[in-house]
Amino acid sequence: EIPGDGLRAKVAIQSPTGGGEATITFDLTDAAGKSVEDLQPYMGAMGHLVVLSSDGKEYVHAHPADAKPGTSSRVVFQAHIMKPGLYKGWGQFRRMDAVRVVPFVFKVS
C-alpha cells in the first residue's frame, strides 16, 4: 500500500509496455484501512492521473472511465505510455472537499 494525502492506495499496473496502453488501478482506503466510497468530482472527473518520465520528456494526463461519484473505492485509468523507462505518477482524488494526492513509481519495460 502507498500512503497518500489522507488516503492509502494499492496501485496495480497492467501491461506497462512502451508505446502501449497501461491500465493503472487505485484501490483506495482511508488511514484506518476502510474502503473509500465517498469520492467527489474534481474538475469534472472522479480522479486525475499524471505520469512523468524520469527524464522529464514524457508526460501523461488521464481521467478514469467511470464518472459516478461515491460508488466505488476502485478507480481505473488508461494511460498511453510512449517509451520504456522509469516513471513517477500521481493519482489525484477529491474527498471531503479536499484534493488528495497518491504518488507512486513504476517501470515500463
Side-chain angles (χ1 to χ4, degrees):
E1 280 195 15
I2 299 171
D5 184 17
L7 291 175
R8 296 185 68 75
K10 289 183 181 175
V11 180
I13 302 163
Q14 296 175 338
S15 303
T17 57
E21 290 290 320
T23 300
I24 301 174
T25 303
F26 290 80
D27 284 306
L28 301 169
T29 60
D30 64 16
K34 184 177 177 183
S35 290
V36 170
E37 296 181 0
D38 59 352
L39 295 178
Q40 301 166 299
Y42 170 49
M43 295 192 312
M46 290 315 299
H48 293 263
L49 174 68
V50 174
V51 175
L52 185 65
S53 63
S54 61
D55 64 6
K57 294 181 179 180
E58 302 296 326
Y59 171 84
V60 176
H61 177 240
H63 299 141
D66 188 4
K68 300 173 190 164
T71 59
S72 176
S73 62
R74 176 171 284 179
V75 182
V76 180
F77 297 89
Q78 296 293 321
H80 188 77
I81 306 298
M82 297 300 293
K83 64 180 186 175
L86 189 62
Y87 289 80
K88 180 153 187 183
W90 296 266
Q92 301 170 319
F93 308 97
R94 186 169 176 233
R95 180 174 187 245
M96 297 171 21
D97 296 323
V99 176
R100 317 296 175 147
V101 179
V102 178
F104 64 103
V105 175
F106 66 102
K107 186 173 183 176
V108 174
S109 52

